Amino acid sequence: MRFFRFLLIFTIVLITSINLSIAKKDSLYISLGIYGNYNLNYDAANFPKLPGIPNCCEVFKHGYGNGYSAGLIIEVPLAAFFDINSLYYAYIKAGYSDKTSELLSTQPLIAWSPAENKKVVGEFEHHLADTIRAMSYQFYSGFKVWNELKIHAGISFDFLTIRKFHQFEKLSKPEGGTFYDSTIGNTYKTIRNDTSGVIPQSNSLLLSGIIGLSYDLPLDSRGVLVASPEIFYHYGLNNIVQGIEWKKNIISLGVSVKYSLKPGLPKPPLPPEPIKEVPNEEPIVDKKIDNVNIDTLTINKIGNNKNIISLGKEKSSIDSILNGKLRTITKNYSRTDTLFSYRKAKLAADISAKLLDEADKEITPQKIKVEEFETTNINPLLTYIFFDEASSEIPQRYHSISKEKIKSFSEDELFNSGTLDIYYNLLNIVGLRMRNNPKVKITLTGIQLAIGAEQGLKDLARQRAESVRNYLTQKWEISEDRIKVNTSLIPENESSNYQNPDKLAEIRHVEIKSANWDIVKPVTSVNKYHKFTAKKIRFYPETQSEIGTKSWEIQTNQGQNPFQDFKGDGESPKSYDYNFTENDGNMFSNDSNLTYAFKTIDNSDQAVQTPFKSLAVEYITTTRREEIEKTEIKREKFNLILFDFDKSEITPNNKRIIDFIKSKIKPNSFVKINGFADRVGEPEHNLKLSEQRAQATANALKLKPQEINGIGSSQLLYDNNYPEGRFYCRTVEINIETKLDK
């Protein structure tokens, strides 16, 4: 209702002003009318998805739809204002426009076919339907090219009132098929990613160029009422969504009905006044005076613009005073101009920082003390190679090296490696140890399940074992007669015990067995870690801005090297905490101060940065600490695996590790045992299980350790999205610190 009220007021004001302009040109007419169009909407796009909206689409290219537009139209002959040919016209349209359309994209994927009961290559459709409606204002010109045929060109401003979307992905092939997931298999779904809402980051104004044709058909004998069939093409000039290529193009077919308004005839001239005879007198002398008065009103504003003067409306008047034969004629001119005076907004910044302990209390002195420690790790070897579902290819996360690299490969290369990096070299470690022990044999046992995608793949277990064997024989040139291949199939009636996806993934493996300890013994590595006396830095950024801030940034360096940067949008926080982690120690290398500065940008893009301030740093290496303390501390860490799933009993494979650990414990050793669990199961159960594992290890070592902890699954040592990560989490970590006098 407000829209039509606005159109009515707008039309009345416009018609009145135009009529006043052409009142003396009685051969010219303005026309007022209504129009209605049928819209053929076409979307030109090149984007995969809307910002922040999940979608698997590769790219949307085209979209189609239809809608309508209707409103008021005004036609004005340009000869009413300019001395030009009367064949030129100007037009204004104000109305409502429907720009709805739908984008569609298809692509292939792996789907599940119930008819064939297996994975097949299918096809699915990405649908993105928009509902876009706008208040449209069109300004264009017209020129008569023949008879009543006119050509048009101009521009359209569309202010969006509705901008919604609805997207979903639909499986189209095979018929009756469903989406397939590599983890759970058949999802029993034909629709996914079904989302709707307001189009994110959409522009509120769409611009388009206009070209078109129209033909006037008179509906009465005087030609006052005219119907004009018309066709227009709207070419989108800006994108619907900021940052992605998506424009609206429209072909509009319709008709406008216009009524011509004829200005009133000019008033007849007044009859001339009778001429009066005036006796001869001395002539009156005119004295002319110009009186000019210009005032300036100053308005102060905040911004980066240059000062602007806006000229006011000029007013004039004439005063005439007759004094005898002297007539004084004064022409008065006055004007009030406006000076917009711009100045930069006030912007200031400051920052301070404090070092805090775990209780959020300031430490004394305010110094970042970093201590470097070295620990010897004994990493048991998990002798399982895990495979993807229904696959016999060794996954790429396992390290495959060239024959040239094999010539120089040594376990010494793994000296500073982490547990999982050592594990991913399992085949190279086994190959090297078999080459160094030419009489040792191994057994490879491939395992598969008789359910899901692996059901019916009779030779899959053997193919998996042969993939491992081929790597050892072809890359490491191990003789095939030293490698025995076995297979194991978990029957369907027993597979119900492995419905959990994590358990299913753990079954799909090849186990490497050897009676010789030298093939499967643990790998030794040395790792460095760091401890901080301070647990966190608390920064206190301060900003003083007249117009608010757009973004902020805290920059930190250690010496000449960047440490960490912290950024945010909008107003800066009153305080910002950074918690030190063990890995942060790798970024420190000396006693250079940790410097920090604060930068902020206000809403006029004005930036200010504080000078760098500093916090003292004391970096203590292992060698330096031993020189200070006059003692050397030997630190060793052992991971006891494998505990069976949901078990705390020490397996025979760990007996030799237990004996080895006993030999490392001295009377003055400090022993700490931490038990862990994987993510499978409830946290309370996993905590209790990890405590039982730690206690069982202490019992096996026949000592009362100074500290026994159950960590449970609250702190996962490794990525549990892979089966090897879960296996290595079913462990007990034994830390031994022994002081050695120098």
Side-chain angles (χ1 to χ4, degrees):
M1 196 67 183
R2 291 182 180 176
F3 170 67
F4 291 106
R5 189 183 306 149
F6 165 76
L7 289 183
L8 180 60
I9 296 172
F10 173 78
T11 303
I12 292 172
V13 174
L14 188 61
I15 293 173
T16 302
S17 62
I18 295 175
N19 270 334
L20 291 174
S21 300
I22 66 174
K24 296 182 180 180
K25 300 182 180 182
D26 56 3
S27 63
L28 301 173
Y29 305 89
I30 69 169
S31 298
L32 171 66
I34 59 174
Y35 72 92
N37 296 121
Y38 176 74
N39 296 339
L40 298 173
N41 302 325
Y42 168 72
D43 289 9
N46 187 13
F47 68 96
K49 64 179 182 178
L50 294 175
I53 307 300
N55 198 323
C56 301
C57 181
E58 294 179 350
V59 66
F60 286 111
K61 286 286 189 180
H62 308 288
Y64 303 92
N66 53 68
Y68 67 91
S69 56
L72 301 181
I73 181 173
I74 299 173
E75 177 187 77
V76 182
L78 290 178
F81 302 96
F82 310 103
D83 187 16
I84 61 175
N85 194 299
S86 60
L87 299 178
Y88 292 91
Y89 293 82
Y91 294 84
I92 300 175
K93 280 183 178 179
Y96 196 70
S97 180
D98 183 0
K99 304 176 180 296
T100 299
S101 60
E102 181 177 18
L103 293 95
L104 176 65
S105 177
T106 61
Q107 69 182 74
L109 87 166
I110 300 301
W112 183 262
S113 173
E116 302 180 41
N117 196 29
K118 66 177 184 178
K119 295 185 298 182
V120 297
V121 177
E123 181 180 271
F124 72 115
E125 301 173 345
H126 302 274
H127 293 259
L128 176 56
D130 65 69
T131 303
I132 296 178
R133 298 188 176 95
M135 293 171 61
S136 179
Y137 301 92
Q138 302 172 27
F139 302 87
Y140 59 93
S141 62
F143 176 71
K144 280 188 179 181
V145 294
W146 174 77
N147 202 357
E148 296 301 323
L149 179 66
K150 299 187 184 81
I151 60 174
H152 305 281
I155 191 167
S156 175
F157 299 85
D158 295 302
F159 296 90
L160 304 189
T161 58
I162 298 176
R163 35 186 164 175
K164 299 181 179 179
F165 77 95
H166 177 209
Q167 75 156 32
F168 62 91
E169 297 172 354
K170 177 182 178 182
L171 190 69
S172 56
K173 294 180 182 179
E175 183 177 353
T178 58
F179 284 105
Y180 176 80
D181 186 274
S182 61
T183 302
I184 64 174
N186 184 5
T187 65
Y188 301 98
K189 294 180 180 179
T190 59
I191 300 290
R192 70 181 184 186
N193 285 339
D194 192 339
T195 311
S196 61
V198 177
I199 299 175
Q201 300 181 21
S202 57
N203 287 310
S204 60
L205 171 63
L206 296 184
L207 302 177
S208 57
I210 305 172
I211 58 172
L213 296 171
S214 68
Y215 191 88
D216 291 345
L217 299 173
L219 299 179
D220 64 352
S221 59
R222 295 189 301 151
V224 175
L225 190 62
V226 175
S228 299
E230 58 187 26
I231 178 170
F232 283 89
Y233 177 69
H234 298 245
Y235 178 76
L237 299 178
N238 65 328
N239 291 313
I240 297 173
V241 176
Q242 301 172 17
I244 66 175
E245 187 176 337
W246 182 14
K247 294 183 175 68
K248 284 281 183 184
N249 303 313
I250 301 173
I251 297 177
S252 294
L253 303 168
V255 64
S256 60
V257 179
K258 298 171 288 186
Y259 181 79
S260 298
L261 302 178
K262 184 176 181 180
L265 295 176
K267 295 181 180 180
L270 296 175
E273 295 183 1
I275 300 175
K276 299 179 181 179
E277 293 184 3
V278 180
N280 291 331
E281 295 181 0
E282 292 184 13
I284 296 175
V285 178
D286 289 337
K287 181 181 180 182
K288 296 182 179 180
I289 299 175
D290 290 334
N291 180 27
V292 179
N293 182 23
I294 298 178
D295 292 332
T296 302
L297 174 65
T298 301
I299 298 177
N300 295 316
K301 287 194 170 187
I302 296 173
N304 297 325
N305 300 338
K306 294 182 178 179
N307 293 344
I308 299 173
I309 294 181
S310 175
L311 299 181
K313 186 176 181 181
E314 191 174 274
K315 297 179 181 180
S316 62
S317 63
I318 299 177
D319 296 331
S320 178
I321 301 174
L322 182 61
N323 185 6
K325 297 298 180 180
L326 179 63
R327 182 168 55 195
T328 303
I329 301 173
T330 304
K331 293 183 178 181
N332 301 301
Y333 298 93
S334 64
R335 190 180 75 215
T336 301
D337 298 338
T338 304
L339 171 63
F340 296 96
S341 178
Y342 288 88
R343 66 171 176 82
K344 288 186 177 181
K346 294 180 180 178
L347 179 64
D350 194 11
I351 190 171
S352 59
K354 298 292 183 182
L355 297 172
L356 307 178
D357 60 16
E358 292 178 341
D360 272 6
K361 294 182 179 180
E362 294 184 20
I363 67 170
T364 302
Q366 285 282 291
K367 177 188 289 187
I368 302 173
K369 186 176 180 181
V370 187
E371 291 191 75
E372 175 190 272
F373 294 89
E374 287 186 357
T375 179
T376 301
N377 297 334
I378 306 299
N379 300 278
L381 216 53
L382 174 62
T383 56
Y384 289 175
I385 300 293
F386 296 97
F387 288 80
D388 294 335
E389 185 178 17
S391 173
S392 60
E393 291 186 11
I394 299 174
Q396 292 185 355
R397 61 183 183 272
Y398 293 95
H399 298 329
S400 174
I401 59 178
S402 64
K403 285 190 175 182
E404 189 65 29
K405 175 66 177 175
I406 285 175
K407 296 177 181 178
S408 61
F409 180 78
S410 156
E411 288 189 37
D412 292 340
E413 297 180 17
L414 309 176
F415 196 67
N416 293 315
S417 300
T419 299
L420 282 184
D421 195 40
I422 293 173
Y423 164 74
Y424 289 135
N425 275 288
L426 172 62
L427 293 179
N428 299 315
I429 294 171
V430 171
L432 176 65
R433 291 175 176 180
M434 291 187 72
R435 177 177 285 184
N436 294 337
N437 297 273
K439 295 183 179 181
V440 173
K441 296 183 178 182
I442 63 171
T443 300
L444 304 178
T445 303
I447 302 175
Q448 73 175 93
L449 287 166
I451 60 173
E454 297 188 1
Q455 188 175 19
L457 301 177
K458 298 180 180 179
D459 295 328
L460 181 60
R462 177 170 294 278
Q463 291 168 357
R464 286 172 172 168
E466 289 174 347
S467 293
V468 175
R469 181 193 64 188
N470 292 342
Y471 184 89
L472 294 173
T473 57
Q474 295 172 11
K475 288 287 184 74
W476 285 92
E477 299 180 352
I478 305 300
S479 175
E480 284 193 18
D481 59 10
R482 297 175 60 193
I483 303 173
K484 181 180 179 181
V485 173
N486 289 337
T487 62
S488 176
L489 176 66
I490 306 298
E492 186 175 357
N493 60 350
E494 296 181 14
S495 298
S496 60
N497 298 326
Y498 304 101
Q499 292 304 310
N500 182 290
D502 286 348
K503 293 300 295 178
L504 290 173
E506 293 175 13
I507 291 299
R508 300 190 295 264
H509 70 267
V510 169
E511 183 179 6
I512 303 173
K513 289 184 178 180
S514 175
N516 192 305
W517 171 251
D518 290 334
I519 301 299
V520 296
K521 67 182 180 182
V523 176
T524 301
S525 64
V526 174
N527 296 105
K528 291 184 179 181
Y529 67 97
H530 301 82
K531 289 184 179 180
F532 291 81
T533 54
K535 295 302 178 184
K536 67 178 68 172
I537 307 176
R538 178 164 292 168
F539 295 100
Y540 297 94
E542 296 180 16
T543 304
Q544 296 178 354
S545 173
E546 288 184 302
I547 58 175
T549 56
K550 180 188 295 184
S551 63
W552 59 272
E553 179 180 4
I554 299 173
Q555 304 171 0
T556 61
N557 301 299
Q558 204 262 325
Q560 299 297 319
N561 301 318
F563 182 69
Q564 295 282 356
D565 285 347
F566 316 105
K567 300 179 180 180
D569 295 327
E571 301 291 336
S572 62
K574 292 183 180 179
S575 64
Y576 186 90
D577 289 355
Y578 178 71
N579 296 296
F580 289 113
T581 66
E582 184 177 307
N583 291 332
D584 286 337
N586 298 323
M587 303 181 70
F588 289 90
S589 58
N590 52 47
D591 292 341
S592 297
N593 289 346
L594 182 75
T595 57
Y596 61 93
F598 176 57
K599 178 182 179 181
T600 185
I601 301 175
D602 67 13
N603 288 321
S604 67
D605 290 329
Q606 181 184 192
V608 65
Q609 179 172 313
T610 67
F612 276 90
K613 298 182 179 181
S614 63
L615 290 168
V617 173
E618 183 180 7
Y619 185 76
I620 303 176
T621 64
T622 302
T623 303
R624 181 179 172 188
R625 185 181 57 258
E626 291 171 356
E627 290 174 353
I628 295 172
E629 297 176 354
K630 303 301 182 182
T631 59
E632 177 183 352
I633 299 178
K634 184 177 183 181
R635 293 175 175 84
E636 297 174 291
K637 183 168 70 175
F638 304 87
N639 291 94
L640 187 65
I641 64 165
L642 299 170
F643 284 100
D644 290 334
F645 175 74
D646 202 27
K647 302 293 183 182
S648 60
E649 292 78 12
I650 305 295
T651 61
N653 291 338
N654 292 297
K655 298 292 186 183
R656 298 188 68 160
I657 299 177
I658 290 290
D659 294 338
F660 179 75
I661 295 172
K662 284 181 181 179
S663 66
K664 296 293 182 178
I665 299 175
K666 307 301 180 184
N668 64 335
S669 296
F670 175 80
V671 182
K672 181 178 179 181
I673 301 177
N674 293 325
F676 296 89
D678 62 16
R679 71 183 180 188
V680 181
E682 296 297 326
E684 295 81 4
H685 174 77
N686 288 338
L687 179 61
K688 184 177 180 181
L689 177 63
S690 65
E691 292 172 348
Q692 293 171 348
R693 288 171 173 171
Q695 188 60 56
T697 303
N699 295 339
L701 291 172
K702 295 181 179 179
L703 54 82
K704 294 181 179 180
Q706 287 87 330
E707 191 171 353
I708 297 177
N709 293 314
I711 308 299
S713 55
S714 62
Q715 177 184 329
L716 296 176
L717 295 175
Y718 308 102
D719 185 355
N720 272 217
N721 290 321
Y722 290 105
E724 58 268 20
R726 295 191 293 275
F727 266 88
Y728 272 109
C729 280
R730 299 167 193 160
T731 187
V732 164
E733 186 179 86
I734 305 169
N735 293 279
I736 303 174
E737 291 188 3
T738 305
K739 286 188 177 182
L740 306 175
D741 293 332
K742 284 198 166 183

